Amino acid sequence: MIRFFLHGLPALLIVAIAVAFFNETRLSSDKKNEMTIGSIAEPSMLNPIQQADAAASDVGGMIFNGLLKYSADLEITTDLAKSFTLSQHTTIFFDDPKTVPGAMGKLFFMRGRWADWKLTDVRQDGSSLVLTFSEPGMAASQEILGLFDAKTLIPSTIIRVDLEGKAVETLKAWRATETGARAVRDWVESDAAFEVTAVGDPAPVVKDLQDFLAGRTQKGTVTVGDVLPFLAEPIVDFTLRDDVKWHDGAPFTSADVVFTYRAIMDDAVASPRKPDFLYIQAVETPDPHTVRVVYRKPYSPALQSWMIGLLPSHLLEGKSPEWWAQNFNRNPIGTGPFKFSEWKTNEYVRLVRNPDYFGAPGPWLDSMVYRVLSDQLSLRLAFETRQIDFWGVDPWAVSEFQKDKRFDLFSYPSSSYSYVGWNLKRPIFQDERVRRALAHAVNVPEMIKYILYGYGVQSTGIFLPQMWFFNPDVKPIPYDVEKARQLLAEAGWKPGADGILTKDGQRFTFTIITNNGTEVRRDIATLIQDNFRQIGIEVKIELYEWAVFLKNFINKGDFDAMVLGWALGPDYDQYQIWHSSQNNPEQLNVVGYKNPEVDKLLVDIRQEYNRDKIIEMAGKLQSIIYKDQPYLFLFVPQGTSVLWKDSYRIRRPDGKGGWIDSPVEMTKAGWSYYSEWFYRPEYADKLPR
Amino acid sequence: MLNFIIRRLAISVVLAFLISLISFFIITLTPGSPYPWGELNPKITPQVKEAFKKKFHLDRPLIEQYWLNMRDLFNGNLKSIKDDRPVLQKIGERLPATISLNVLAAVISLSFGLALGVYAAKHAGKTPDLLTSILAFIFIAMPGFWISYLIVIGLVRFTDVPILGTQSYGVIFTNSASLWLDRFWHIALPAVVLSIGGIAVQSRFIRASMIETLREDYIRTARAKGLEPDTVFFKHALRNSIRPLITGIGGLLPGLIGGSVIIETIFAYPGLGRLGYEAVLERDYPTLVAINFIVAALILLGNLISDVLYAVVDPRVRLE
Amino acid sequence: MTTTASTASSAEVADLPLLLESPGRRMWRRFLKNPVGVTSSIVIVLFFTVALVMGICSMLGIYFPYNPNTTELTQKLLPPSAAHWLGTDNLGRDVLSRLLNGSYISLTVGFVAVAVSLFIGVTVGAISGYFGGWIDNIIMRVVDAILCFPSFFLILTAVALLGPNIMNIIVVIGLVSWTGTARLVRAEFLTLRETEYVRAAKALGIRTPGIIFRHILPNAAAPIIVTAVVGIPDAILTEAGLSFLGFGVQPPQATWGNIISDGKTYLLDAWWLIVFPGMAIFIAALAFYLAGDALRQAAESRSERK
């Protein structure tokens, strides 16, 4: 017995491991008709309105659909919606109903200009004039307002009511009792606040509201907000596809759209997407396949927000968010090409083909596996042993893979850029010449060459080169040490005894902070330290754990300079990052950038729907901010993915009833844009001709 | 003895709470806040953050947070901040992988440790003893992550054999034996690395214990009676020397569910170690509270079991 | 088992204090006879000299063969060659220079952390063992409780709490590793305080500190030294593990652990980034463990008698 333990057990273990090893070397090389994608990050949950991580949106993108989506060229196109139209109602208030017909007459007289204004209809509604435009925006309405006699016009005022909960009921109750107050519009802002628009003098409405609240136990405060010359209410009309089914077989209807919207706005649901939908006044459903969304004011980025994956109302209606978290969020039902099948934490998420997909007969693959591994090295090990089919490769490994004939590589500009942010509240960074000098002193091309192994382009400001509103005329600040020295000398910085620049007895020395765990950022900091030493600037580097980095330094704005990156959606709205009002603790303008011209552009661009004008404004934004150099804009890295050569092909519909067959190809939206149409050549006989 | 057990249990419960309280304070005092959506997200308003803090009691005083967390832990409602799922469920789904890995590692280190230790003791003072002891120290001195990497790279570079996770992916298994061998292989590799240090420690322990026992009078008596030296060695000496080994089993208990972050990271193994490590990085306080409490409780329970076993194996010991 | 053995030896020595050489001398003589012990001590002395020289040099701003923190991007990830004996890392820094420079930090972490843990462990153990009774009881319960902390997570969070600089890492490693020493010292004291000569000393009216420092501690020195020697590689390995997870000593300062941790991404193509620093840790740790074992053997009387 004891001798068995002594010799037998160790021998048995050795034999077992040897046999297992032998088994591994002989594993069948036949592959399942599936694709395994490797990633370091695991989805936090699979619920489009609650998740906020990239991994979740990658996986969720296969399961859920939005009304709209990005095309392969990153333009907006339809998904669950068959089509959509934009329009706007502008309501102008007059002091007397009798003056309205005269104003209408003036407009009919100017009919020749309607096309420029995109004006399609004019009608009277009591003492107000309602204009209908085919394109939302403020410019045309303002121009028309200028035609009328200012004395006859009445502005409207927004009145905000903050409560201790139950805004919906309070608003309803007040509406029922409302007597003579001239309040034309109202909407619920959150569970504890609603807003009312009063025409003319807001005082009676305010008094009415205060009296009403005084008569209730519920406490609240009434505040008078912005005064508006007219009400501009953009409208989006969606016509939905009628051939879409949820994965459980129930039909997809407009009720699901309304449900998703309400769930996002529900304060019981912690949704990071809430701010996207704040400007909505109402979501209406005239019939099961039509949805009308009315906005309170022009906010053009709002259209993108309808790319959010929609939730099945028939499963979630009436359930608590706790129920979602434990049931739906780990076992989601969507409308997408793949159905959720299995999730093993820290291992994989498995999706299987949805045979009832509205894009049928696709997808071609039986399943998609999203495999979670611990780091870049393990991803590479898994890839080389054919355990994953694809992953996003670090730049350094790309150079190794390129030499290898067994692989196909796909490179595309990533949707992020890296930068060094200067704390503009620190005196040393307040001189624009100094910031330009610092930009001249850093050898960005070399950085790209050695940190990114050439896989990246120099960043020229806040937008990414692949976006349609990117301004190609902004040229990068070149590496020029002489120019840097000269600019610094102009700004009064002279080399001191120890070679370090000084001005008024102060040495030019500061600390760059960044988070640990991101090698690229650590390397950037190290290189910048080296670059600046050459022009006599002393830099210290400090690395912190991500949570500490944010809490102690970034959110408090307590740093000299920091290395960070922005990952951006294809969205031109960067109000939160650059507007001077966004400089408080925990807000995103952490460097303290302030430029009145930029502030105005940031507000205006949000209200602009015209593509050409957006391009123009975005271009201006980009060039002004780049000139000011609040950041030292470094580079936009290229993302690269690797596949085993010829392991997959694409067969996708050409939109005319036929099929396009091609090798896996690159699009602006990444290599995996067509992943629902991927197939394995060895299973090609399953495909339609 | 029953008295002893009851008293020790009571002390252990108090201790476990104390330990979890202290570790909770250390964790929450650490800079950084739990925020699953990433702080630098332009889309998140302060209101959303407030609602979130309220939901997980992060707006309360620390001691109250601790109390609420413990209460929820015991009625099973404790939710992870990261994904809002019950913490016990999250821990539970890691258990099969964690336990199978650690049991195999324990079996390997015990069996090889025993064999090596006995071998060394049999040749005490001679070259084989010296060699095994040097081997044991080589095992202890190798950094775990270093040797793992050498193994991993060697295997991938020279054999193309999959090594990560709990099984192979995308492969059509020809039979179920192949599938089970595949799974065993994925446990065996990290288990071997995990057990390297254990083998060394156990072998030293057994050797010392054996040499000690061989000097005892009853062994001399047995030899003097003319019993076969092998019989004396394996039957009399070995039996008595593995007593401390048996009492050490209690000490294995926490190890069975505790994990090694580093080994699990390298082998992409879904164990409890990584869960805890990720929870530290994400400041997922509820998950950490639960893990710390459970691990502390298991260590205490393990100690108790060791003491009781000690009394059971060795009748001379009395528990008071 | 070891404790009883060494107790016996101390007792014997106490009986014949004048006829035999002092226990320290005898231990040393035996240690020198052990080839394993001597070899490993030579290795330790070598490491120690290198670390000391590198430490002094880096304070003076002299570096060998290159500045360990100078990046030379054109020279990145070069395999070992005549110019760079151990190759270069991903930023073109010379691995040999970093290894040599890192040895001074890694050994400092080992020595100082052990010093911290010894100081606490011996103090606590001595108090507990010498006084016994309820003091002993309370202290031992506290030690039990500390042993129940999930120590690696405790170190992780504590380092995150205090900030990852060298001093904090040393202190934290020291703070969580003293319990073993405390238990050992307590056990020694428990037996030693009952010996004839301690009783005699007490009877002669020698004060408590005098008894502890003059009479008990020297006799407990051997096992304490052994734990200390074995504790050093433990601390070095813990620091390496912390570095591996990104909680170690801050870059650009090299330590053996963070050279490996920085290099792990490039592992498949640049084996030299992990093999050499790993060897350094391994050889240093092995030398300490073997030396510790040799010391232990030398301190035991029975092993010689056999």
Side-chain angles (χ1 to χ4, degrees):
Chain A
M1 165 71 174
I2 229 157
R3 286 194 192 202
F4 164 74
F5 272 116
L6 275 184
H7 307 293
L9 203 54
L12 194 74
L13 284 166
I14 291 174
V15 169
I17 293 174
V19 169
F21 175 75
F22 182 67
N23 177 54
E24 289 303 301
T25 60
R26 291 172 42 102
L27 279 186
S28 153
S29 59
D30 291 338
K31 288 291 187 175
K32 287 184 194 165
N33 187 17
E34 76 177 15
M35 176 158 175
T36 312
I37 296 170
S39 165
I40 295 174
E42 175 158 36
S44 57
M45 62 181 83
L46 292 172
N47 182 327
I49 73 165
Q50 284 182 300
Q51 72 204 17
D53 50 320
S57 64
D58 283 354
V59 182
M62 303 280 167
I63 303 172
F64 295 101
N65 295 95
L67 289 176
L68 304 175
K69 66 175 180 186
Y70 284 115
S71 72
D73 298 320
L74 291 179
E75 304 264 359
I76 294 173
T77 182
T78 57
D79 198 5
L80 288 182
K82 225 188 291 182
S83 63
F84 70 96
T85 54
L86 288 171
S87 58
Q88 177 174 307
H89 283 166
T90 296
T91 313
I92 302 174
F93 300 99
F94 291 86
D95 58 352
D96 188 344
K98 286 176 204 140
T99 50
V100 180
M104 276 174 82
K106 213 171 208 168
L107 277 177
F108 281 113
F109 180 71
M110 300 188 73
R111 197 129 202 173
R113 298 206 49 195
W114 281 28
D116 295 345
W117 289 328
K118 315 260 169 149
L119 186 62
T120 54
D121 185 41
V122 176
R123 67 189 164 82
Q124 181 176 5
D125 180 12
S127 65
S128 58
L129 183 67
V130 182
L131 311 174
T132 307
F133 296 91
S134 64
E135 185 182 89
M138 296 296 275
S141 307
Q142 245 144 8
E143 209 177 311
I144 290 170
L145 191 75
L147 300 173
F148 307 136
D149 182 2
K151 277 182 284 182
T152 63
L153 300 173
I154 306 182
S156 50
T157 311
I158 292 175
I159 301 166
R160 185 183 169 86
V161 182
D162 286 287
L163 300 157
E164 290 174 350
K166 295 190 182 150
V168 183
E169 285 162 36
T170 314
L171 177 61
K172 269 188 198 154
W174 176 71
R175 268 295 186 195
T177 64
E178 192 206 354
T179 47
R182 293 185 71 190
V184 290
R185 296 278 193 285
D186 47 51
W187 61 87
V188 173
E189 167 93 24
S190 72
D191 270 8
F194 65 81
E195 288 184 356
V196 166
T197 309
V199 180
D201 182 12
V205 184
V206 171
K207 188 170 178 305
D208 200 46
L209 274 165
Q210 279 166 341
D211 290 348
F212 173 77
L213 288 176
R216 294 167 68 94
T217 49
Q218 189 183 28
K219 288 206 183 80
T221 52
V222 182
T223 13
V224 177
D226 293 344
V227 177
L228 311 169
F230 51 80
L231 297 185
E233 296 163 312
I235 294 162
V236 193
D237 285 297
F238 294 103
T239 311
L240 308 185
R241 293 182 71 115
D242 48 14
D243 55 349
V244 182
K245 281 199 173 76
W246 293 100
H247 293 157
D248 63 355
F252 162 77
T253 66
S254 56
D256 300 313
V257 182
V258 180
F259 171 77
T260 306
Y261 162 69
R262 293 218 178 109
I264 293 167
M265 299 316 290
D266 185 347
D267 277 6
V269 180
S271 170
R273 307 297 299 271
K274 214 162 273 192
D276 288 348
F277 295 83
L278 269 184
Y279 294 103
I280 290 178
Q281 181 170 305
V283 178
E284 295 156 10
T285 51
D287 69 68
H289 295 110
T290 313
V291 175
R292 160 170 279 218
V293 186
V294 184
Y295 288 87
R296 290 187 257 144
K297 59 177 175 184
Y299 178 63
S300 58
L303 205 53
Q304 270 103 310
S305 61
W306 290 105
M307 292 180 185
I308 192 167
L310 297 174
L311 296 173
S313 63
H314 67 284
L315 293 173
L316 296 179
E317 187 89 68
K319 300 284 203 309
S320 70
E322 279 72 33
W323 187 91
W324 298 17
Q326 278 148 57
N327 299 281
F328 187 81
N329 293 2
R330 293 212 29 123
N331 196 2
I333 297 285
T335 50
F338 289 91
K339 292 201 267 196
F340 175 84
S341 152
E342 194 188 5
W343 184 344
K344 277 199 150 182
T345 315
N346 251 339
E347 288 191 72
Y348 61 84
V349 180
R350 179 186 296 276
L351 311 179
V352 296
R353 182 173 178 270
N354 173 13
D356 300 323
Y357 180 50
F358 60 86
W364 315 128
L365 292 170
D366 289 338
S367 50
M368 278 272 202
V369 179
Y370 196 87
R371 206 175 158 198
V372 184
L373 290 163
S374 38
D375 54 20
Q376 277 290 332
L377 179 69
S378 51
L379 285 169
R380 178 154 172 207
L381 293 171
F383 180 76
E384 291 203 357
T385 51
R386 285 198 171 239
Q387 291 290 293
I388 57 177
D389 296 308
F390 142 80
W391 99 99
V393 195
D394 264 2
W396 68 271
V398 174
S399 52
E400 294 297 322
F401 280 120
Q402 257 179 342
K403 299 175 200 155
D404 205 322
K405 291 273 179 288
R406 294 175 298 168
F407 309 123
D408 278 330
L409 273 79
F410 301 93
S411 284
Y412 48 94
S414 71
S415 58
S416 67
Y417 69 86
S418 298
Y419 64 87
V420 183
W422 310 119
N423 189 341
L424 302 178
K425 288 177 182 162
R426 298 273 199 269
I428 46 170
F429 297 122
Q430 276 169 356
D431 192 328
E432 190 204 312
R433 285 171 300 186
V434 170
R435 299 197 300 268
R436 287 191 77 80
L438 294 175
H440 278 301
V442 172
N443 193 343
V444 179
E446 195 188 63
M447 208 178 255
I448 293 171
K449 187 169 166 201
Y450 292 110
I451 295 183
L452 301 181
Y453 293 74
Y455 289 92
V457 290
Q458 187 160 2
S459 159
T460 56
I462 61 172
F463 297 126
L464 304 170
Q466 67 269 36
M467 302 307 167
W468 52 266
F469 42 84
F470 174 77
N471 184 351
D473 297 332
V474 180
K475 294 289 171 246
I477 294 177
Y479 174 59
D480 187 343
V481 178
E482 271 322 301
K483 181 87 181 156
R485 289 212 176 93
Q486 188 194 326
L487 280 166
L488 284 165
E490 274 174 36
W493 292 96
K494 300 273 164 15
D498 57 351
I500 302 297
L501 296 176
T502 48
K503 179 185 179 182
D504 308 330
Q506 194 201 357
R507 295 169 84 240
F508 203 136
T509 168
F510 61 90
T511 307
I512 289 186
I513 59 168
T514 190
N515 62 308
N516 61 17
T518 316
E519 285 181 34
V520 170
R521 286 186 198 147
R522 189 195 60 206
D523 295 352
I524 289 172
T526 316
L527 287 182
I528 284 177
Q529 184 185 38
D530 225 33
N531 278 164
F532 284 172
R533 188 162 40 210
Q534 290 171 19
I535 56 164
I537 296 173
E538 192 180 71
V539 178
K540 268 192 301 192
I541 300 175
E542 284 172 11
L543 299 179
Y544 298 94
E545 192 200 345
W546 180 242
V548 178
F549 175 66
L550 288 179
K551 177 126 181 174
N552 287 9
F553 301 98
I554 300 303
N555 288 348
K556 286 185 185 160
D558 182 16
F559 61 92
D560 296 335
M562 46 93 169
V563 184
L564 257 181
W566 281 119
L568 304 164
D571 188 347
Y572 45 82
D573 179 23
Q574 293 197 8
Y575 182 89
Q576 274 94 345
I577 303 177
W578 297 109
H579 197 272
S580 57
S581 68
Q582 305 292 307
N583 179 232
N584 302 314
E586 301 208 11
Q587 287 185 323
L588 297 181
N589 184 358
V590 285
V591 294
Y593 180 64
K594 189 169 186 174
N595 182 334
E597 200 183 348
V598 168
D599 281 357
K600 184 171 179 339
L601 277 168
L602 286 167
V603 173
D604 289 350
I605 200 170
R606 289 178 141 192
Q607 301 182 342
E608 190 53 64
Y609 285 76
N610 186 289
R611 190 186 160 91
D612 295 334
K613 284 192 185 142
I614 288 173
I615 292 174
E616 188 194 321
M617 292 162 115
K620 253 195 224 160
L621 268 177
Q622 190 187 330
S623 69
I624 295 172
I625 296 179
Y626 193 68
K627 196 181 136 286
D628 286 346
Q629 285 286 313
Y631 290 174
L632 169 47
F633 293 92
L634 296 171
F635 48 70
V636 179
Q638 294 241 302
T640 304
S641 302
V642 198
L643 280 169
W644 281 81
K645 208 171 211 69
D646 302 324
S647 51
Y648 295 93
R649 288 180 64 82
I650 295 176
R651 182 168 299 181
R652 62 187 167 92
D654 61 359
K656 296 177 221 108
W659 299 96
I660 299 171
D661 197 297
S662 69
V664 175
E665 60 188 318
M666 227 21 254
T667 72
K668 270 191 176 180
W671 73 280
S672 62
Y673 183 77
Y674 292 118
S675 47
E676 64 196 80
W677 304 113
F678 275 33
Y679 70 92
R680 277 188 176 274
E682 59 263 43
Y683 291 91
D685 50 334
K686 286 174 115 187
L687 268 49
R689 289 284 146 197
Chain B
M1 182 150 119
L2 191 68
N3 245 334
F4 169 83
I5 293 176
I6 290 170
R7 209 179 61 221
R8 275 289 295 272
L9 264 181
I11 296 175
S12 298
V13 168
V14 174
L15 264 183
F17 274 100
L18 216 64
I19 289 165
S20 72
L21 179 69
I22 294 171
S23 35
F24 179 77
F25 277 133
I26 295 178
I27 298 156
T28 43
L29 287 177
T30 305
S33 62
Y35 202 58
W37 297 324
E39 290 273 355
L40 293 179
N41 188 337
K43 300 286 182 194
I44 303 204
T45 57
Q47 288 91 324
V48 176
K49 284 190 193 179
E50 276 314 307
F52 167 81
K53 280 187 183 161
K54 210 166 169 185
K55 176 163 184 208
F56 289 99
H57 318 301
L58 298 173
D59 51 346
R60 308 280 184 85
L62 278 187
I63 190 79
E64 198 183 337
Q65 281 189 38
Y66 173 74
W67 151 245
L68 290 170
N69 274 323
M70 285 317 271
R71 186 197 66 191
D72 290 348
L73 175 63
F74 279 97
N75 60 28
N77 288 332
L78 191 64
K79 304 268 176 54
S80 158
I81 290 179
K82 185 188 178 193
D83 50 15
D84 212 6
R85 293 171 59 222
V87 169
L88 289 179
Q89 188 187 336
K90 286 181 78 160
I91 293 176
E93 66 194 19
R94 306 275 178 136
L95 279 182
T98 304
I99 291 177
S100 55
L101 172 62
N102 287 296
V103 166
L104 185 62
V107 169
I108 294 176
S109 61
L110 282 178
S111 60
F112 280 81
L114 190 68
L116 271 181
V118 170
Y119 179 70
K122 196 147 191 244
H123 303 275
K126 300 194 194 102
T127 320
D129 181 26
L130 184 69
L131 289 182
T132 44
S133 81
I134 290 180
L135 186 71
F137 285 112
I138 287 178
F139 278 0
I140 302 182
M142 279 191 299
F145 57 93
W146 184 61
I147 197 66
S148 313
Y149 275 142
L150 295 187
I151 292 177
V152 161
I153 293 173
L155 280 174
V156 170
R157 270 281 171 266
F158 301 116
T159 65
D160 269 355
V161 157
I163 31 148
L164 302 171
T166 54
Q167 68 164 85
S168 298
Y169 286 83
V171 179
I172 301 170
F173 288 102
T174 40
N175 53 45
S176 62
S178 172
L179 173 66
W180 285 107
L181 273 174
D182 180 63
R183 289 192 178 154
F184 175 72
W185 169 251
H186 281 87
I187 300 172
L189 222 47
V192 166
V193 178
L194 265 182
S195 59
I196 284 179
I199 294 176
V201 174
Q202 295 296 349
S203 72
R204 299 300 296 163
F205 195 57
I206 295 287
R207 177 189 170 276
S209 168
M210 279 295 282
I211 289 174
E212 195 75 17
T213 322
L214 285 172
R215 291 200 192 109
E216 299 285 342
D217 289 341
Y218 65 86
I219 299 289
R220 289 191 197 159
T221 319
R223 283 209 181 113
K225 275 200 305 188
L227 282 178
E228 188 101 341
D230 263 15
T231 318
V232 177
F233 188 85
F234 286 111
K235 212 161 184 187
H236 297 89
L238 189 55
R239 280 233 173 117
N240 286 298
S241 319
I242 57 172
R243 251 184 217 161
L245 203 70
I246 294 168
T247 60
I249 285 174
L252 289 175
L253 191 64
L256 292 189
I257 87 145
S260 157
V261 185
I262 293 174
I263 305 293
E264 284 173 19
T265 306
I266 294 174
F267 288 96
Y269 197 82
L272 265 178
R274 260 172 89 198
L275 181 71
Y277 175 58
E278 281 164 14
V280 170
L281 292 186
E282 288 154 0
R283 305 284 189 268
D284 189 350
Y285 303 146
T287 307
L288 283 171
V289 165
I291 291 181
N292 279 335
F293 183 78
I294 292 172
V295 171
L298 279 178
I299 294 175
L300 290 163
L301 190 66
N303 287 350
L304 181 59
I305 293 176
S306 282
D307 288 355
V308 172
L309 276 179
Y310 198 58
V312 172
V313 174
D314 190 342
R316 285 170 302 179
V317 176
R318 289 216 150 180
L319 297 173
E320 279 160 37
Chain C
M1 275 110 254
T2 30
T3 22
T4 43
S6 54
T7 314
S9 80
S10 321
E12 282 165 47
V13 175
D15 290 342
L16 306 160
L18 297 171
L19 296 178
L20 284 174
E21 52 191 333
S22 78
R25 287 279 296 274
R26 194 186 53 184
M27 185 170 140
W28 187 235
R29 185 174 51 80
R30 282 199 198 139
F31 181 74
L32 288 182
K33 273 203 250 166
N34 184 340
V36 176
V38 173
T39 320
S40 47
S41 326
I42 293 173
V43 173
I44 291 171
V45 170
L46 251 167
F47 268 99
F48 193 72
T49 317
V50 167
L52 199 69
V53 171
M54 291 323 289
I56 294 170
C57 282
S58 76
M59 271 170 215
L60 296 174
I62 308 165
Y63 298 107
F64 171 81
Y66 302 94
N67 183 333
N69 299 329
T70 301
T71 59
E72 189 60 65
L73 287 176
T74 50
Q75 304 286 309
K76 67 193 296 186
L77 292 175
L78 293 180
S81 66
H84 300 278
W85 290 0
L86 304 185
T88 60
D89 72 2
N90 60 314
L91 292 175
R93 298 175 294 196
D94 182 58
V95 175
L96 178 62
S97 308
R98 288 182 71 70
L99 206 58
L100 291 173
N101 190 262
S103 66
Y104 130 74
I105 296 295
S106 291
L107 289 183
T108 307
V109 169
F111 275 98
V112 183
V114 164
V116 171
S117 96
L118 266 193
F119 177 75
I120 305 174
V122 170
T123 315
V124 172
I127 292 172
S128 184
Y130 184 81
F131 294 106
W134 61 271
I135 298 180
D136 178 39
N137 233 324
I138 290 179
I139 291 180
M140 278 306 113
R141 287 290 84 77
V142 172
V143 168
D144 283 347
I146 290 172
L147 281 172
C148 293
F149 275 105
S151 68
F152 199 74
F153 283 122
L154 196 68
I155 297 180
L156 271 186
T157 35
V159 170
L161 172 65
L162 298 171
N165 66 46
I166 299 173
M167 219 43 233
N168 289 344
I169 289 169
I170 291 173
V171 170
V172 171
I173 294 178
L175 280 180
V176 296
S177 58
W178 57 269
T179 45
T181 318
R183 280 188 157 178
L184 184 91
V185 172
R186 168 183 172 267
E188 288 291 313
F189 269 61
L190 274 180
T191 40
L192 286 177
R193 72 174 181 160
E194 302 300 331
T195 49
E196 301 287 335
Y197 68 93
V198 173
R199 287 190 187 167
K202 269 187 192 164
L204 286 171
I206 300 176
R207 277 187 287 162
T208 311
I211 296 175
I212 290 180
F213 288 110
R214 193 92 53 70
H215 297 281
I216 305 186
L217 211 51
N219 283 296
I224 295 175
I225 293 173
V226 173
T227 28
V229 171
V230 175
I232 292 169
D234 282 349
I236 294 176
L237 289 173
T238 309
E239 192 278 326
L242 279 174
S243 286
F244 176 85
L245 295 173
F247 283 79
V249 174
Q250 292 283 283
Q253 177 59 55
T255 69
W256 292 340
N258 71 17
I259 300 174
I260 298 182
S261 145
D262 289 357
K264 69 179 184 226
T265 320
Y266 311 95
L267 221 61
L268 277 173
D269 311 301
W271 53 269
W272 56 93
L273 287 181
I274 161 160
V275 170
F276 296 123
M279 288 297 273
I281 297 177
F282 170 58
I283 292 172
L286 185 60
F288 277 109
Y289 283 132
L290 289 176
D293 190 52
L295 273 177
R296 187 187 54 73
Q297 281 178 17
E300 272 177 26
S301 56
R302 275 193 183 183
S303 48
E304 194 186 44
R305 211 191 284 156
K306 205 179 78 173

